Amino acid sequence: MARKAMYYYGKVFLSNDTGYYQIVLANNIERMKAIFLTTNTEVWVSADQVDNGTVFDRYFPTVYGVGYLGEYSTLDKDGNTTKEYTAWRCMLERCYGTKELEAYKYCIVSEEFHNASYFKDWYNKQVGAHREDFHLDKDILSGDCKVYAEDTCVLVPQEVNSLFVKHNNKKVKSNLPTGVRYNPKHTSRPFTAMYSGHGGEKILSYHDNEWSAFIAYKQAKENRAKELAEKWRGQIDNRVYEKLINYKVLLTD
């Protein structure tokens, strides 16, 4: 037995998923110490694990090339994937996944949030962490910031999240203000104030000029922000409440 254990001592092996490691202690084939060469992570392994390649480094970036689990278990006590792990993985996918999503172009995740364990601890301290209808958002607090981090992220209900989505009018007419559509069929009042809210897009009013239409859209959306602020008051992060109460629609939105 001792001779077999010594066969592993000092040698470098390759795991199936997380790179090379070296066996640095091998007195017993059932319990040997290994150190991963990339992360310096120490793990206790058996000879069987070494032989079949299943030694795993929980600090190796296995999720979209940047994310790693740390000491985090991705399953809850019932064997289901935890909500915070799903939020963490989706965050990484938006920034580093193979799909090219225009809304997340150039977005990155802070180094701290690369660690699923760190993200879990942060997530569970947030207002709304244990509500199924709350979602991770980085735009409400940060504006145009492209970084998912502790000071830019917050948990909010979907209808609050949707309010802050910026709409792109370039596909309709590049020089129109946000919330305004142009319809030449309406010869006297061709500019329409459009608002997406309360379950779908709807026409607010028709106007003879684009600025009048924009003001109608602006008033409707700012009023909606105040409605949401009062609806969710005491249930959302105070910083989000302040953003809603003081929300202003800009031409650049």
Side-chain angles (χ1 to χ4, degrees), residues 141-178:
L141 300 183
S142 66
D144 291 327
C145 180
K146 298 291 186 179
V147 182
Y148 281 90
E150 288 180 87
D151 58 347
T152 64
C153 290
V154 70
L155 302 180
V156 293
Q158 185 59 46
E159 60 181 351
V160 171
N161 191 16
S162 298
L163 181 86
F164 289 88
V165 173
K166 292 188 176 182
H167 299 284
N168 189 349
N169 279 317
K170 290 183 178 179
K171 293 182 180 179
V172 182
K173 188 177 180 182
S174 60
N175 61 343
L176 285 176
T178 185

Side-chain angles (χ1 to χ4, degrees), residues 93-240:
E93 181 180 20
R94 287 192 288 269
C95 297
Y96 306 108
T98 54
K99 260 189 195 177
E100 289 191 13
L101 302 173
E102 187 64 29
Y104 300 100
K105 196 173 184 180
Y106 308 122
C107 286
I108 62 172
V109 175
S110 69
E111 288 190 14
E112 290 82 3
F113 275 6
H114 289 181
N115 185 341
S117 294
Y118 188 97
F119 180 84
K120 175 192 176 183
D121 291 341
W122 171 86
Y123 186 100
N124 286 318
K125 294 174 184 176
Q126 304 310 301
V127 177
H130 303 295
R131 294 192 55 156
E132 292 300 321
D133 55 341
F134 275 47
H135 306 276
L136 183 71
D137 178 274
K138 71 163 182 57
D139 299 316
I140 295 174
L141 300 183
S142 66
D144 291 327
C145 180
K146 298 291 186 179
V147 182
Y148 281 90
E150 288 180 87
D151 58 347
T152 64
C153 290
V154 70
L155 302 180
V156 293
Q158 185 59 46
E159 60 181 351
V160 171
N161 191 16
S162 298
L163 181 86
F164 289 88
V165 173
K166 292 188 176 182
H167 299 284
N168 189 349
N169 279 317
K170 290 183 178 179
K171 293 182 180 179
V172 182
K173 188 177 180 182
S174 60
N175 61 343
L176 285 176
T178 185
V180 178
R181 298 282 180 85
Y182 178 76
N183 188 345
K185 293 181 180 179
H186 297 281
T187 55
S188 62
R189 294 185 297 168
F191 296 96
T192 306
M194 303 289 296
Y195 177 63
S196 296
H198 304 286
E201 189 173 57
K202 67 177 182 178
I203 296 173
L204 295 172
S205 50
Y206 298 96
H207 302 263
D208 59 4
N209 67 83
E210 59 194 270
W211 304 114
S212 176
F214 171 69
I215 292 301
Y217 165 78
K218 174 180 170 69
Q219 290 176 341
K221 192 164 185 180
E222 290 175 0
N223 288 340
R224 175 61 175 161
K226 290 178 174 57
E227 289 176 7
L228 290 173
E230 295 310 319
K231 175 181 178 179
W232 292 100
R233 187 172 190 172
Q235 303 177 68
I236 55 177
D237 191 298
N238 287 333
R239 295 170 297 172
V240 177

